[in-house]
Amino acid sequence: MRYLLPALLCLFSPAVLCQDLLVNGGLEEENICTEYRINCAPEAWISSSSGFANYFKDANRAHAGLHCMAIEAGHVTKPFQRTFIRSALVCGLRKGGRYRLSFFIKSPHPVLDSIGVSFTSTDPLLETKPLHRWQPSLLLGGAGLVFATDSSWQRVELVYTASGEEAFIAIGNFSKRDITGDMYLPMESHFFVFFDDFSLLPDDPAERICNDWQQTREDIYGQDERHEFLQRSLKYRRSQAPAKVQRTPNLLLRADTLLLPDMWFATGKKDLQPAGFRLLDSFCIALRGKALDSLVIEGHADNTGSRQLNESLSQARAEVVAIRLSQCIYMARVPLTVRGSGSRRPVASNETEQGRQQNRRVEMMAYFRE
């Protein structure tokens, strides 16, 4: 067997492999705050200012759905007055791993290049330094992004290399310079920047969500205080030594693959030859006792014949293999993905018979936990 790290695994493997590390990224789930028993803020996301002021329920303002959030990037008359929004990660990041953070952003003010992201091991809400003295993990202005000149929504994607100590994320204006001056908007003194639809996903398709993510998610959703109660709690916690929060890191899956070539099937049919059954039985025995996480079975064809025929045959062959493997007693509990890719993923040229024969195959990819 040889190792395989297939590209773009998140697009077609079991969803659990690529679970988002941020919860309520669309900001649609509403928090019922402890004090007022009303939905004045989003679940899992907390503003360093009042949730009333920075949480909006307006389909015309939001990127999608009804809700979006805002930060205050500056104030017309109050020097360095800024706010940030913060959330907790459901799993820790793997040291040296690359992660893609994406979100939508808009502002009527030319301040987007000053917006940044801070990943921390301690709760950002406990930080006493003003934002312009923080050292952000990422800055939009340093990512080579070109920002729209109007106030329309635009998608931002940033790549972050983890230290392995991340537990929280905070987003705000980290510019060393203040933003002041007349904004030419009547009755408005705040320089607002709006956000919606956050997502944080591992760049490595072999990463799987940590085992305790559901409990961590419940704990995150369980923090319901947002106003006076929150400030009292933060005041008390700031009087103590700041404690680092350790999250269980994502799991890294290892993948082995077994190739079942065309010769193990009847010509042009889905029927498996007797030698093919014996090979699958041996494969099943070899996997027994290992930390098998999931199994992907994918059928492939050459480019002869119609597209519909190729996809149908490749799917049928993959299903035959899946049925045989599912007869292993312990395989019944293993998540199984079966698909036919037709001729879309050749491994050799279809210009020769030898190449076409290599393209007619079934691949079995077994993913193991560390």
Side-chain angles (χ1 to χ4, degrees):
M1 291 190 287
R2 54 188 172 88
Y3 295 108
L4 179 69
L5 292 177
L8 301 179
L9 180 62
C10 292
L11 298 179
F12 41 69
S13 65
V16 70
L17 290 176
C18 302
Q19 179 88 28
D20 202 327
L21 298 174
L22 294 173
V23 293
N24 194 25
L27 309 173
E28 295 301 309
E29 295 178 83
E30 297 177 309
N31 172 265
I32 307 300
C33 67
T34 308
E35 298 95 317
Y36 304 112
R37 308 303 302 170
I38 58 174
N39 49 346
C40 61
E43 289 281 14
W45 294 83
I46 299 178
S47 171
S48 60
S49 181
S50 171
F52 290 111
N54 295 319
Y55 187 47
F56 298 88
K57 185 175 183 178
D58 182 351
N60 293 321
R61 189 190 297 267
H63 169 256
L66 294 176
H67 297 90
C68 64
M69 288 191 79
I71 63 163
E72 188 176 342
H75 193 278
V76 170
T77 60
K78 299 178 181 179
F80 289 101
Q81 177 167 308
R82 301 175 183 178
T83 64
F84 62 86
I85 52 178
R86 155 274 199 210
S87 190
L89 309 184
V90 294
C91 293
L93 308 185
R94 299 183 63 85
K95 183 177 181 179
R98 286 160 50 94
Y99 297 84
R100 293 188 179 271
L101 172 68
S102 66
F103 52 85
F104 283 83
I105 189 172
K106 72 174 181 178
S107 178
H109 317 296
V111 298
L112 297 188
D113 60 345
S114 300
I115 303 304
V117 179
S118 180
F119 287 99
T120 61
S121 59
T122 57
D123 193 335
L125 295 172
L126 300 178
E127 180 58 68
T128 57
K129 289 187 301 186
L131 273 175
H132 66 279
R133 293 183 180 174
W134 289 25
Q135 185 60 44
S137 307
L138 299 167
L139 271 176
L140 271 61
L145 300 171
V146 178
F147 301 105
T149 56
D150 58 16
S151 60
S152 60
W153 285 105
Q154 53 188 309
R155 185 175 182 272
V156 168
E157 182 175 88
L158 302 170
V159 178
Y160 174 68
T161 301
S163 69
E165 296 186 351
E166 297 81 359
F168 300 91
I169 183 174
I171 300 175
N173 171 25
F174 294 96
S175 174
K176 304 301 181 185
R177 297 185 302 169
D178 197 12
I179 300 173
T180 57
D182 193 347
M183 64 176 58
Y184 305 106
L185 293 175
M187 306 298 291
E188 183 56 78
S189 57
H190 305 274
F191 291 90
F192 278 127
V193 179
F194 297 89
F195 297 87
D196 203 353
D197 293 327
F198 294 93
S199 178
L200 180 63
L201 293 169
D203 210 27
D204 188 341
E207 276 200 30
R208 171 183 169 170
I209 197 77
C210 59
N211 289 330
D212 60 354
W213 72 269
Q214 290 174 303
Q215 180 59 56
T216 303
R217 180 182 185 276
E218 290 183 15
D219 294 341
I220 293 171
Y221 274 55
Q223 187 176 8
D224 294 329
E225 67 272 21
R226 287 296 187 274
H227 308 286
E228 288 88 350
F229 288 179
L230 176 61
Q231 294 308 314
R232 292 178 194 173
S233 172
L234 293 177
K235 183 177 180 180
Y236 171 76
R237 291 165 62 194
R238 287 187 186 118
S239 67
Q240 313 296 314
K244 291 186 177 181
V245 175
Q246 290 186 327
R247 297 275 188 241
T248 304
N250 269 0
L251 301 171
L252 188 63
L253 301 184
R254 176 175 59 84
D256 286 353
T257 185
L258 176 67
L259 187 67
L260 205 61
D262 177 59
M263 67 181 67
W264 298 110
F265 293 91
T267 302
K269 297 181 180 180
K270 67 177 182 179
D271 303 314
L272 196 60
Q273 303 280 21
F277 284 113
R278 290 195 293 271
L279 181 62
L280 292 179
D281 291 343
S282 297
F283 183 59
C284 183
I285 293 172
L287 295 177
R288 184 170 299 172
K290 295 185 177 181
L292 186 60
D293 179 86
S294 56
L295 193 65
V296 176
I297 301 172
E298 184 170 15
H300 302 271
D302 60 27
N303 67 349
T304 58
S306 67
R307 177 179 176 181
Q308 181 178 5
L309 178 63
N310 288 335
E311 292 189 353
S312 176
L313 179 59
S314 64
Q315 177 73 27
R317 286 182 169 182
E319 289 174 354
V320 167
V321 171
I323 290 172
R324 184 66 177 188
L325 288 179
S326 67
Q327 292 173 357
C328 296
I329 295 176
Y330 69 91
M331 282 287 191
R333 301 185 299 273
V334 176
L336 188 65
T337 298
V338 182
R339 57 178 177 266
S341 293
S343 60
R344 296 193 301 274
R345 300 181 64 200
V347 293
S349 171
N350 279 304
E351 299 301 317
T352 66
E353 174 53 36
Q354 183 181 10
R356 289 192 292 272
Q357 187 176 50
Q358 287 181 266
N359 291 332
R360 299 190 296 267
R361 68 202 189 277
V362 173
E363 291 181 349
M364 290 157 287
M365 292 162 281
Y367 292 89
F368 302 94
R369 296 183 294 276
E370 285 187 320

Tab-separated table of all heavy atoms in Angstrom, residues 2 259 298-304 310 314 340-352 354-361 363:
chain	number	residue	atom	x	y	z
A	2	ARG	N	0.396	2.325	-0.608
A	2	ARG	CA	1.144	3.568	-0.635
A	2	ARG	C	0.323	4.653	0.046
A	2	ARG	O	-0.892	4.581	0.145
A	2	ARG	CB	1.469	3.977	-2.080
A	2	ARG	CG	0.250	4.044	-2.988
A	2	ARG	CD	0.651	4.272	-4.443
A	2	ARG	NE	-0.502	4.136	-5.329
A	2	ARG	CZ	-1.323	5.105	-5.655
A	2	ARG	NH1	-1.139	6.310	-5.129
A	2	ARG	NH2	-2.333	4.901	-6.451
A	259	LEU	N	-5.274	0.156	-4.667
A	259	LEU	CA	-5.741	0.334	-6.041
A	259	LEU	C	-6.244	-0.991	-6.581
A	259	LEU	O	-5.547	-2.010	-6.534
A	259	LEU	CB	-4.587	0.863	-6.905
A	259	LEU	CG	-4.935	1.267	-8.326
A	259	LEU	CD1	-5.843	2.484	-8.317
A	259	LEU	CD2	-3.660	1.565	-9.106
A	298	GLU	N	-13.703	5.117	-4.531
A	298	GLU	CA	-13.971	5.939	-5.711
A	298	GLU	C	-13.670	5.152	-6.985
A	298	GLU	O	-12.562	4.634	-7.157
A	298	GLU	CB	-13.124	7.212	-5.675
A	298	GLU	CG	-13.417	8.166	-6.817
A	298	GLU	CD	-12.748	9.514	-6.635
A	298	GLU	OE1	-11.845	9.606	-5.780
A	298	GLU	OE2	-13.120	10.460	-7.333
A	299	GLY	N	-14.674	5.070	-7.865
A	299	GLY	CA	-14.506	4.400	-9.141
A	299	GLY	C	-14.116	5.378	-10.234
A	299	GLY	O	-14.542	6.534	-10.234
A	300	HIS	N	-13.299	4.894	-11.192
A	300	HIS	CA	-12.821	5.736	-12.293
A	300	HIS	C	-12.938	4.975	-13.611
A	300	HIS	O	-12.921	3.742	-13.640
A	300	HIS	CB	-11.363	6.142	-12.075
A	300	HIS	CG	-11.122	6.877	-10.787
A	300	HIS	ND1	-11.215	8.238	-10.678
A	300	HIS	CD2	-10.806	6.414	-9.544
A	300	HIS	CE1	-10.946	8.599	-9.435
A	300	HIS	NE2	-10.710	7.507	-8.721
A	301	ALA	N	-13.021	5.720	-14.701
A	301	ALA	CA	-13.123	5.126	-16.034
A	301	ALA	C	-12.216	5.882	-17.002
A	301	ALA	O	-11.713	6.961	-16.685
A	301	ALA	CB	-14.575	5.172	-16.527
A	302	ASP	N	-11.998	5.304	-18.199
A	302	ASP	CA	-11.290	6.051	-19.238
A	302	ASP	C	-12.305	6.926	-19.983
A	302	ASP	O	-13.469	7.023	-19.582
A	302	ASP	CB	-10.547	5.104	-20.181
A	302	ASP	CG	-11.493	4.129	-20.892
A	302	ASP	OD1	-12.686	4.473	-21.079
A	302	ASP	OD2	-11.046	3.034	-21.251
A	303	ASN	N	-11.877	7.565	-21.071
A	303	ASN	CA	-12.770	8.501	-21.751
A	303	ASN	C	-13.465	7.905	-22.961
A	303	ASN	O	-14.055	8.630	-23.770
A	303	ASN	CB	-12.014	9.766	-22.154
A	303	ASN	CG	-10.961	9.508	-23.215
A	303	ASN	OD1	-10.646	8.347	-23.526
A	303	ASN	ND2	-10.404	10.574	-23.778
A	304	THR	N	-13.385	6.586	-23.134
A	304	THR	CA	-14.138	5.963	-24.218
A	304	THR	C	-15.581	5.783	-23.783
A	304	THR	O	-15.862	5.565	-22.608
A	304	THR	CB	-13.527	4.597	-24.587
A	304	THR	OG1	-13.533	3.758	-23.432
A	304	THR	CG2	-12.100	4.770	-25.096
A	310	ASN	N	-19.720	6.205	-18.553
A	310	ASN	CA	-18.511	6.145	-17.725
A	310	ASN	C	-18.817	6.406	-16.260
A	310	ASN	O	-18.299	5.721	-15.366
A	310	ASN	CB	-17.484	7.167	-18.237
A	310	ASN	CG	-16.862	6.743	-19.555
A	310	ASN	OD1	-16.807	5.561	-19.870
A	310	ASN	ND2	-16.415	7.712	-20.332
A	314	SER	N	-18.391	3.564	-13.350
A	314	SER	CA	-17.452	3.819	-12.249
A	314	SER	C	-18.174	3.816	-10.907
A	314	SER	O	-17.640	3.322	-9.904
A	314	SER	CB	-16.715	5.143	-12.477
A	314	SER	OG	-17.607	6.243	-12.448
A	340	GLY	N	-18.588	7.695	-7.914
A	340	GLY	CA	-18.038	7.390	-9.229
A	340	GLY	C	-17.627	8.678	-9.912
A	340	GLY	O	-18.437	9.589	-10.052
A	341	SER	N	-16.378	8.769	-10.330
A	341	SER	CA	-15.874	9.995	-10.937
A	341	SER	C	-15.795	9.919	-12.453
A	341	SER	O	-15.329	10.863	-13.101
A	341	SER	CB	-14.485	10.322	-10.368
A	341	SER	OG	-14.571	10.661	-9.011
A	342	GLY	N	-16.229	8.802	-13.044
A	342	GLY	CA	-16.178	8.692	-14.489
A	342	GLY	C	-14.762	8.856	-15.003
A	342	GLY	O	-13.810	8.275	-14.464
A	343	SER	N	-14.591	9.691	-16.016
A	343	SER	CA	-13.260	9.906	-16.604
A	343	SER	C	-12.648	11.227	-16.164
A	343	SER	O	-11.686	11.698	-16.771
A	343	SER	CB	-13.371	9.875	-18.138
A	343	SER	OG	-14.260	10.894	-18.588
A	344	ARG	N	-13.185	11.845	-15.106
A	344	ARG	CA	-12.761	13.197	-14.729
A	344	ARG	C	-11.403	13.249	-14.043
A	344	ARG	O	-10.796	14.312	-13.974
A	344	ARG	CB	-13.815	13.837	-13.808
A	344	ARG	CG	-15.171	14.056	-14.466
A	344	ARG	CD	-16.044	14.954	-13.612
A	344	ARG	NE	-16.285	14.422	-12.293
A	344	ARG	CZ	-17.255	13.576	-11.987
A	344	ARG	NH1	-18.077	13.160	-12.940
A	344	ARG	NH2	-17.432	13.142	-10.743
A	345	ARG	N	-10.894	12.126	-13.536
A	345	ARG	CA	-9.639	12.149	-12.791
A	345	ARG	C	-8.671	11.077	-13.313
A	345	ARG	O	-8.336	10.116	-12.625
A	345	ARG	CB	-9.900	11.958	-11.301
A	345	ARG	CG	-10.798	13.034	-10.686
A	345	ARG	CD	-10.997	12.804	-9.209
A	345	ARG	NE	-9.742	12.923	-8.485
A	345	ARG	CZ	-9.527	12.415	-7.268
A	345	ARG	NH1	-10.486	11.741	-6.663
A	345	ARG	NH2	-8.370	12.589	-6.670
A	346	PRO	N	-8.186	11.247	-14.540
A	346	PRO	CA	-7.255	10.254	-15.105
A	346	PRO	C	-5.895	10.322	-14.422
A	346	PRO	O	-5.469	11.368	-13.944
A	346	PRO	CB	-7.154	10.676	-16.573
A	346	PRO	CG	-7.430	12.156	-16.559
A	346	PRO	CD	-8.456	12.358	-15.475
A	347	VAL	N	-5.190	9.199	-14.378
A	347	VAL	CA	-3.825	9.156	-13.853
A	347	VAL	C	-2.822	8.933	-14.974
A	347	VAL	O	-1.609	8.950	-14.749
A	347	VAL	CB	-3.678	8.037	-12.796
A	347	VAL	CG1	-4.494	8.373	-11.556
A	347	VAL	CG2	-4.067	6.681	-13.364
A	348	ALA	N	-3.320	8.720	-16.175
A	348	ALA	CA	-2.460	8.509	-17.341
A	348	ALA	C	-3.176	9.047	-18.575
A	348	ALA	O	-4.360	9.418	-18.525
A	348	ALA	CB	-2.134	7.023	-17.503
A	349	SER	N	-2.462	9.086	-19.686
A	349	SER	CA	-3.040	9.594	-20.932
A	349	SER	C	-4.068	8.615	-21.485
A	349	SER	O	-3.858	7.391	-21.467
A	349	SER	CB	-1.935	9.823	-21.964
A	349	SER	OG	-2.492	10.109	-23.232
A	350	ASN	N	-5.158	9.134	-21.981
A	350	ASN	CA	-6.175	8.302	-22.621
A	350	ASN	C	-5.893	8.085	-24.106
A	350	ASN	O	-6.723	7.527	-24.821
A	350	ASN	CB	-7.558	8.939	-22.454
A	350	ASN	CG	-8.163	8.638	-21.091
A	350	ASN	OD1	-8.306	7.486	-20.692
A	350	ASN	ND2	-8.513	9.695	-20.359
A	351	GLU	N	-4.710	8.526	-24.556
A	351	GLU	CA	-4.358	8.381	-25.976
A	351	GLU	C	-3.849	6.989	-26.300
A	351	GLU	O	-3.780	6.607	-27.469
A	351	GLU	CB	-3.292	9.417	-26.353
A	351	GLU	CG	-3.734	10.863	-26.184
A	351	GLU	CD	-4.954	11.184	-27.035
A	351	GLU	OE1	-4.983	10.765	-28.211
A	351	GLU	OE2	-5.878	11.841	-26.511
A	352	THR	N	-3.462	6.216	-25.290
A	352	THR	CA	-2.954	4.857	-25.526
A	352	THR	C	-3.787	3.856	-24.749
A	352	THR	O	-4.426	4.185	-23.747
A	352	THR	CB	-1.491	4.739	-25.070
A	352	THR	OG1	-1.422	4.894	-23.642
A	352	THR	CG2	-0.623	5.807	-25.742
A	354	GLN	N	-2.611	1.400	-22.998
A	354	GLN	CA	-2.009	1.221	-21.678
A	354	GLN	C	-2.480	2.300	-20.709
A	354	GLN	O	-2.809	2.007	-19.546
A	354	GLN	CB	-0.487	1.258	-21.786
A	354	GLN	CG	0.218	1.002	-20.453
A	354	GLN	CD	1.731	1.060	-20.593
A	354	GLN	OE1	2.255	1.470	-21.630
A	354	GLN	NE2	2.436	0.638	-19.553
A	355	GLY	N	-2.550	3.556	-21.168
A	355	GLY	CA	-3.016	4.646	-20.320
A	355	GLY	C	-4.480	4.496	-19.961
A	355	GLY	O	-4.875	4.731	-18.809
A	356	ARG	N	-5.298	4.097	-20.935
A	356	ARG	CA	-6.728	3.922	-20.653
A	356	ARG	C	-6.952	2.819	-19.622
A	356	ARG	O	-7.832	2.922	-18.768
A	356	ARG	CB	-7.479	3.627	-21.953
A	356	ARG	CG	-7.585	4.814	-22.891
A	356	ARG	CD	-8.562	4.551	-24.014
A	356	ARG	NE	-8.077	3.516	-24.933
A	356	ARG	CZ	-7.310	3.737	-25.996
A	356	ARG	NH1	-6.916	4.992	-26.270
A	356	ARG	NH2	-6.938	2.756	-26.789
A	357	GLN	N	-6.128	1.769	-19.707
A	357	GLN	CA	-6.268	0.685	-18.731
A	357	GLN	C	-5.919	1.165	-17.322
A	357	GLN	O	-6.564	0.774	-16.346
A	357	GLN	CB	-5.374	-0.489	-19.131
A	357	GLN	CG	-5.599	-1.725	-18.255
A	357	GLN	CD	-4.780	-2.913	-18.733
A	357	GLN	OE1	-3.579	-2.789	-18.947
A	357	GLN	NE2	-5.420	-4.057	-18.894
A	358	GLN	N	-4.921	2.028	-17.204
A	358	GLN	CA	-4.570	2.577	-15.886
A	358	GLN	C	-5.694	3.458	-15.336
A	358	GLN	O	-5.914	3.504	-14.119
A	358	GLN	CB	-3.291	3.405	-15.994
A	358	GLN	CG	-2.029	2.587	-16.180
A	358	GLN	CD	-0.804	3.474	-16.261
A	358	GLN	OE1	-0.352	3.863	-17.340
A	358	GLN	NE2	-0.271	3.815	-15.115
A	359	ASN	N	-6.400	4.130	-16.213
A	359	ASN	CA	-7.474	5.024	-15.760
A	359	ASN	C	-8.716	4.262	-15.322
A	359	ASN	O	-9.526	4.798	-14.546
A	359	ASN	CB	-7.823	6.010	-16.872
A	359	ASN	CG	-6.715	7.011	-17.114
A	359	ASN	OD1	-5.954	7.328	-16.204
A	359	ASN	ND2	-6.609	7.505	-18.344
A	360	ARG	N	-8.878	3.028	-15.794
A	360	ARG	CA	-10.029	2.222	-15.365
A	360	ARG	C	-9.638	1.520	-14.059
A	360	ARG	O	-8.927	0.515	-14.068
A	360	ARG	CB	-10.390	1.198	-16.446
A	360	ARG	CG	-10.790	1.812	-17.768
A	360	ARG	CD	-11.365	0.779	-18.720
A	360	ARG	NE	-10.407	-0.251	-19.106
A	360	ARG	CZ	-9.623	-0.212	-20.194
A	360	ARG	NH1	-9.683	0.844	-21.005
A	360	ARG	NH2	-8.812	-1.205	-20.473
A	361	ARG	N	-10.133	2.042	-12.943
A	361	ARG	CA	-9.678	1.548	-11.648
A	361	ARG	C	-10.689	1.908	-10.565
A	361	ARG	O	-11.547	2.758	-10.768
A	361	ARG	CB	-8.321	2.181	-11.289
A	361	ARG	CG	-8.435	3.676	-11.003
A	361	ARG	CD	-7.129	4.408	-11.169
A	361	ARG	NE	-7.224	5.791	-10.679
A	361	ARG	CZ	-7.713	6.808	-11.385
A	361	ARG	NH1	-8.174	6.620	-12.619
A	361	ARG	NH2	-7.745	8.020	-10.863
A	363	GLU	N	-10.270	3.084	-6.454
A	363	GLU	CA	-9.342	3.423	-5.377
A	363	GLU	C	-10.075	3.352	-4.044
A	363	GLU	O	-11.173	3.887	-3.903
A	363	GLU	CB	-8.763	4.827	-5.574
A	363	GLU	CG	-7.813	4.931	-6.751
A	363	GLU	CD	-7.242	6.323	-6.908
A	363	GLU	OE1	-7.744	7.251	-6.230
A	363	GLU	OE2	-6.311	6.498	-7.717
